[in-house]
Amino acid sequence: MRIEKLNLLAYGKFTDHELTFPSGKHDFHVIVGPNEAGKSTVRRAITELLFGIERQSPLGFKHPQSDLRVSAVLEAASGKLTFVRTKQQKSLRSLIGEPLPDSYLDPALGSLTQEAFEQLHCLNHENLVKGGQGIVDPRNSVSQILFQAASGLDTFAAVREALSARAGELFANRGRSNEYIKAADRYAAAQKRLKDVQVRTREWVEARDELKSADQELDKERKNRAEVEQQRSAWERARRLAPLVERLGRLNDELAALGDTIAFPPSAKATLDSGISDMNAAAGIVQTRENDVQARLQELENIQVDEKVLERAADIERLGKLCGLYANHPRDLLLRRTEVKQWLDDLLARSLEFGWGTTEEEVRKLVPQHKVLRSIDALLKERGALVEGERGAQETVDQRQAGVDELQERLDATSDASVDPQLAQALSQALPYKNSESKLKNLLSAVSAAQAALTRALAALGLPDITEEFLRSMKLPSLERVSAFRANRQEIAGEEELARSRMEEAKETAGELELQVTQFERSHKVITAGEVSGARRERDDKWGAIKSGTLVLSEGAPQLDIAIRLADELVDARTLSETDSVTLQGLRDQLETASDAHRRHTKTFGDKEQELQEFDARWAEVIAQMGLDGMELDDMPEWLAKRETALAAAENHAGKKHEFEQERDSAVQTRNDLAAAMTAAGLPVSEASGLVALCMSADEHIKTIDRARGNRESVQQQLRDAQSSLRLAEQTKNARTTAVHGWNTKWQEALNNANLGSVTNDFAEVEAAIEAASFIRQRLEKIDTRRVERIVSMEADLELLKSAGLALAHALNSAMTESTPDELSRVLNTKLEEAKRQSNRKAQAQEFLDEAKRQLSEARSTLDQGKRRLEPLLRAAGVEDPMIALPLVEKAQKKVELEASIEQTIEALEKDSDGLTLEQVKAEVESHPATEAPGRLLAIKDCLEDSDRKLTQLVQGQVAAEQKFDAINGGDSAAVAEAQKQESLAEMSEAGEEYLQLATASSLLKWAVDKYRDRKQGPLLQRASVVFKNLTLGSFEKLRIDYDQSPPALLAYRSNGQQVTVSGLSDGTRDQLFLALRIAALELQTEQSAPVPFVADDLFINFDDKRSQAGLHALYELSTKTQVLFLSHQEHLLPVVERLFGGVNVIALDDEQVPA
Amino acid sequence: MGFKFIHAADIHLDSPLRGLSAYEDAPAQQFRNASREALKELVTTAIEDKVSFVVIAGDLYDGDWRDYNTGIFFASQMGRLAKAGIRAFVLHGNHDAESEMTKKLALPDNVVVFSSRSPQVHRIDDLKVALHGQSFANRAVDDNLAASYKPMVKDHFNIGVLHTALEGYKAHPTYAPCTVDELYVKEYDYWALGHVHEFQQWDGPSTIVFPGNLQGRHVRETGRKGAVSVTVDDSGHAVVDRLYLNVLRWEVLKVDLSGSASLDDVARKVGRGLTSLLEAADVPRAVRVSLEGKTHLHGALFGNAAGVRAQVLAQAAMIDSERLWVEKVKVATTPLEGPQAAGDSNEALGELRAIFEEAKEDSEFLRHLEMELQPFLNKVADEVKDDVPRLDFARQKRFADIVQEVAPGLLAQLNSKAM
């Protein structure tokens, strides 16, 4: 819709004021006027024109309320609408006042409401701002179109937050609580520990050297101390040993005084004393022992022993044992014999039944042997299976015979036909062509396509009626030759062009130089040598004329003066213009050179031009000979390529065609062959039958015969199998019958062997006989066992006992030969025990006697020993009586004691002499007089104390060095620290790797989502962004929604990327934003529905001039889509409008019509 | 007369285990001395097996390791051998050559060190054994040392001791290069090599053996480690048996998560894997757990490294915290092609995928990312380098590569959240 005319018939201050809005490429109209000129009235009139006049209109100040009227001509899609809006009941009227229906304006308005019109289409500044606030409020449903790009990404914000949060845990630029930094701290700590505990080789070497030197110093001091210590020892030793040395001297003197003595052993005195006392005691003991021996001898003589009985003691004891063992034998023997008799009676009774004898001996002979019985039993067991086997085999033979008969019948009923091989071959050849129809179609269409391609390729050659043959027959230059031609021509053309440009260049240079010469000549008066010599010649002529008298002096003198001055002036001037003249000459020389060059290049150009023409003529001739008149040389390669294409297309066409024909002919041939073969095989063949039908028919025929044949072969095979089975069954049956016959023969033999020849085929009786024989055999075995094991052995035992008793009685001459062995045994045992008792007593008495004799011998020996012990002593002393030897022994003892004391003293000396010899000690005592010792020892003590102090220090030093050295003991502290370092490094790597992943992912996701939203933003926002950028002259780059806020908010982005919220914009920029949103909305609306005019009433009040111009531009652009009525009080904009968009419809309202 | 000896190399004494963090239940205390424990094991085995001598073919300790205690510890272990009457022949390799300890360390009399000045032959007359060798004089020996080794000693069992990269071991610096054929030419009976950390044996005219290092030190040295025991019979025939002396073995446990329904499932699978490792093992394990396979949990695992790691550590603690040390939990799963988020979210995801692609080319974003990461990069220690490829990228300013690596996981996570 657009407004063509608006007439304010009676409205506000206006009366019949018509505004016309002619249409054009830009439907842009400016209504300008100062305040109170009626601009707002016009805006209101447009609203009320379309939607009705308000009941209590504030505009009814000039015309009565009821008379308010506005008329208009609107252009709608359906045509023009002319009407008057009144305040009457039916407010829409025709121009002649007739009421119009309310729907009259529907074609123009559509679904447009007054509210929407006022908010979007008909704006003053106040509406612009108010409505704008509504649009950028996300809670407003109208604005949803702005915020539509958030869908589909709701869940991703959480993902990004999680990624970012985890990345923050792993690493943060600040603080030390993140995982990477913690690990890095641990790493640093381990590093420090490693440094602390690590022992470098140099440190070890130092520690070792330090220890070595401490050891050496300590050794030295110890040696020093040892020397002092030695001195101290010498003084102390001398003081200590002096008394012993003196005592030794005294003892030696005493020994010398004692003189010679007999050399008794040291124990001589003690030996002598104890010898005398021992001999006295031993003499008493010998007497006592002699008495004792006599008493024991008497005792032994009084004891008597029965030796005879003792000699047979073993036999007597054996007899007693046997009596005990065989005590029960007589009773037991009776019982066993009765038992055997009973068993014998039982078996005789059974043997009688089968005629095997009446006595034990007969029975033992006639009863069948075990072997015979087993064979009968085995035969009995075999019989059933043999008989049953024979019967079963006969049945099998009968069944198999029936089967063979049946199969023979079935075979006779089948036929024996076979497939005609010619037919089979024809069919197999025909089958590949079964689908030839569709293949032929494809081939045919390929032929057509190739034909079309050929035609196209020929047409592309651009020669009328050209044929393939002609094309082939053409004698054309090769591409190489054409290329050579072209290169040749290009060369000539290039040279021509070069000559031309040189010619023109030279011409230009010559022109320029010529101009320079002219200009130089014009601006510089150059005196030439010619002019000077001319002036001189003039002067000389005058002088000559005066001299010759041709010229009178009075007349000639002034002329000569002039000529002289002129010549002089010229000479002076020439001197002055020397430089100019040189310059000019130079220019002239250059000009001449340039002119020469121009001439030369002109000639070259002419030559080259001609050469080129000649070349072209030659080419035209060549090409005409080939029948390609007028073909340009440059077109030739392309034409040759096209020719190749055409020839290839022709070849392709021929190939396709040949393929098609071959396929078609082969198909016909195979069909005919198949038909002939079928006819020969007696199959019906129709002329009209196609290859497919024939193939199917032949195939069916062959399959039928194959099936029948297969069936017959199967029956034949079955019959062969059945016959073979029958033969096998018959063989089996014969074998079974032979086995039964064999059994019968064996059976009769076995019965005879068992003495049962009369029983024959009564199998029950045979079984009873086997059982009886078995019973008899068992009983006989039992009888034999009992006899051998019990009866015979007991009889033997009793016999042995009896003979033993008799033998004993005879041996001891006993009168008891008639007594039972039991009685004999009892008597002999009693005697034996008495004899043993007496024998024991005798042995004991003998022992006592032996002991008494031994003690007597000992006492005598003791007495002898005493005497022998004293014998050497007495011999040494030269006496026989021990009592006389006593004083001699005591003197000798005294000497021994003295020698011992000397020995002890020397020992004491040696013990305390610290290893010195006796002589050394004596010398030392002499050289270290006891009187000097105390003083010397005090001095030595001081020395030692000094040495001790020194040693303590050295030992401490040595211990410290040793500890230091020992501390380097191969411990693993450094290795452990290094391991911990690596562990921290691993943690750092892990945290770092994860951080890089997550931080990158988080950044990437944020960037991608922003980008996605940028792309997904609504068209409204997109368009508004562009308009807003233009309105703000590029200060703002774009508009975006920040979805990270809740609710989302509109943000404006400055060109430097800074974001500004709507409330943060300046008033002007905010107005520009709201206008941009409106313009964008209007543009979108006009794309989707019929356009509606846009009325802008002083919207630029907060715009500066430049932005106002930008605003005008925006509206002017909008006016290509919808009608724009721009109302403004800013008259200074008019020239701007004019300048910007010349020929715009400008309607000026003036304020004259304002009522007083 | 037959005899037996032990051949070891690359002991790297007191070289730390790398990549293991001391989380709460980790058996850190127990294994910080792993290399020492392994050496003790070596010496104990030598004594118990009554070997005649021990050969150590280089790299006793790291060249940059300065603690003299390490040398003393080594000397004390050699002292144990001395008490048992076992000789030790030690050759210095590239690492020892650098160490100042090498020059100062006083070793017991039973230890014979090969000179670095010229090739030496040490004979053991009672066994009729001749040991040839030359220590490295400095770290980088590029000459073929073996070439100038002395000719074989007749009627002796000849052992060549050499620290070399041999041919074809690009993973190790090519010091003292030579070829197997060049070693055969010497006609020695046995070549005791060192330097390469993997066991390797050639049975040609000579028996040539790399025993590998004594104790694995990081996750690239997985599997059983130790030395070899060589038994030589009367005829001079040598039989090589491996001795597994490592006290902690490195493993990579790959766990396939396809079919896992939840993180609890993941924990259970990892638990089963760890249990079976221990069941099959006689020594404790340092394990890298690598989660693999196509799984719908891929997204949930992304960005939850700490959670996943905590789960795995809990499993390890439950199974046997004394014998399991988890080195790292590596999420190497791939997303399942299948159900995608529905509706707006799916559309949004599609667009985000495209925007992620653009991010790699967007200089403004990459600059922004650099600024974001810069504070971390300023702080991160130079030593942090093992196994952090992203850090390498960041240091080389290859931020696009980081984005390239991170984007798929992020997308999977977004997809799993949106479903």
Side-chain angles (χ1 to χ4, degrees), chain A residues 485-497 500 604-620 633:
Chain A
F485 257 116
R486 288 180 70 203
N488 204 352
R489 190 185 186 280
Q490 267 170 10
E491 198 183 327
I492 299 169
E495 283 167 1
E496 185 209 10
E497 188 53 40
R500 179 208 297 284
T604 313
F605 173 63
D607 292 351
K608 288 293 164 190
E609 209 173 15
Q610 193 180 348
E611 194 180 337
L612 194 60
Q613 280 167 4
E614 283 168 4
F615 184 89
D616 285 347
R618 223 164 38 243
W619 167 254
L633 178 54

Side-chain angles (χ1 to χ4, degrees), chain B residues 12-34:
Chain B
H12 292 278
L13 199 55
D14 283 346
S15 178
L17 304 179
R18 293 177 199 277
L20 290 164
S21 59
Y23 55 86
E24 198 181 342
D25 289 315
Q29 191 80 30
Q30 211 175 318
F31 295 114
R32 283 180 184 138
N33 266 336

Side-chain angles (χ1 to χ4, degrees), chain A residues 697-714:
Chain A
S697 172
D699 188 41
E700 187 52 40
H701 171 72
I702 289 172
K703 276 179 183 159
T704 307
I705 290 175
D706 281 349
R707 269 198 302 276
R709 189 169 184 76
N711 201 9
R712 183 178 167 81
E713 279 168 4
S714 157

Side-chain angles (χ1 to χ4, degrees), chain A residues 665-681:
Chain A
D665 295 349
S666 301
V668 170
Q669 184 60 45
T670 49
R671 189 251 166 220
N672 292 345
D673 291 351
L674 181 59
M678 284 171 76
T679 311

Side-chain angles (χ1 to χ4, degrees), chain A residues 380 383 743 747 751 759-768 770:
Chain A
L380 265 177
R383 183 177 174 277
W743 186 87
W747 174 247
L751 285 184
V759 178
T760 63
N761 285 341
D762 188 344
F763 298 116
E765 200 177 340
V766 173
E767 278 173 8
I770 293 170

Side-chain angles (χ1 to χ4, degrees), chain A residues 113-154:
Chain A
T113 62
Q114 184 174 352
E115 188 195 359
F117 183 73
E118 284 177 343
Q119 211 173 49
L120 192 61
H121 299 271
C122 193
L123 303 178
N124 60 1
H125 182 256
E126 188 190 342
N127 283 350
L128 175 77
V129 174
K130 208 168 116 194
Q133 297 287 12
I135 291 176
V136 298
D137 179 0
R139 287 160 297 200
N140 187 334
S141 61
V142 180
S143 65
Q144 287 305 309
I145 192 166
L146 268 181
F147 296 90
Q148 68 183 14
S151 60
L153 297 175
D154 320 339

Side-chain angles (χ1 to χ4, degrees), chain B residues 79-91:
Chain B
R80 286 180 62 206
L81 286 181
K83 273 185 201 156
I86 298 171
R87 279 163 286 193
F89 295 88
V90 176
L91 179 125

Side-chain angles (χ1 to χ4, degrees), chain B residues 184-336:
Chain B
Y184 286 152
V185 164
K186 286 283 169 188
E187 297 184 319
Y188 294 169
D189 298 282
Y190 183 90
W191 277 98
L193 304 188
H195 189 51
V196 172
H197 286 196
E198 292 296 323
F199 171 80
Q200 182 83 357
Q201 182 174 343
W202 290 262
D203 290 317
S206 313
T207 303
I208 303 175
V209 175
F210 276 118
N213 56 345
L214 200 59
Q215 166 66 50
R217 295 171 301 159
H218 46 71
V219 78
R220 291 183 299 285
E221 294 181 345
T222 53
R224 302 198 281 186
K225 298 284 177 186
V228 295
S229 161
V230 185
T231 309
V232 181
D233 64 16
D234 293 347
S235 65
H237 175 69
V239 176
V240 178
D241 294 307
R242 290 189 71 183
L243 299 170
Y244 301 112
L245 303 168
N246 50 184
V247 296
L248 180 70
R249 186 177 306 161
W250 290 82
E251 300 275 5
V252 176
L253 174 67
K254 293 186 176 178
V255 181
D256 185 2
L257 298 191
S258 38
S260 295
S262 64
L263 286 181
D264 286 347
D265 259 7
V266 175
R268 271 193 291 277
K269 273 192 179 171
V270 171
R272 277 200 294 278
L274 290 174
T275 307
S276 64
L277 265 190
L278 277 194
E279 278 170 358
D282 44 353
V283 291
R285 301 289 165 122
V287 187
R288 170 172 293 187
V289 177
S290 178
L291 306 178
E292 301 184 345
K294 281 190 175 182
T295 170
H296 75 267
L297 293 174
H298 179 71
L301 295 171
F302 178 88
N304 189 20
V308 177
R309 184 172 160 79
Q311 288 265 31
V312 172
L313 294 188
Q315 287 294 327
M318 258 180 337
I319 294 162
D320 192 343
S321 62
E322 298 279 294
R323 299 177 65 218
L324 274 177
W325 195 346
V326 177
E327 185 244 6
K328 191 172 191 178
V329 182
K330 196 164 183 179
V331 178
T333 50
T334 45
L336 209 57

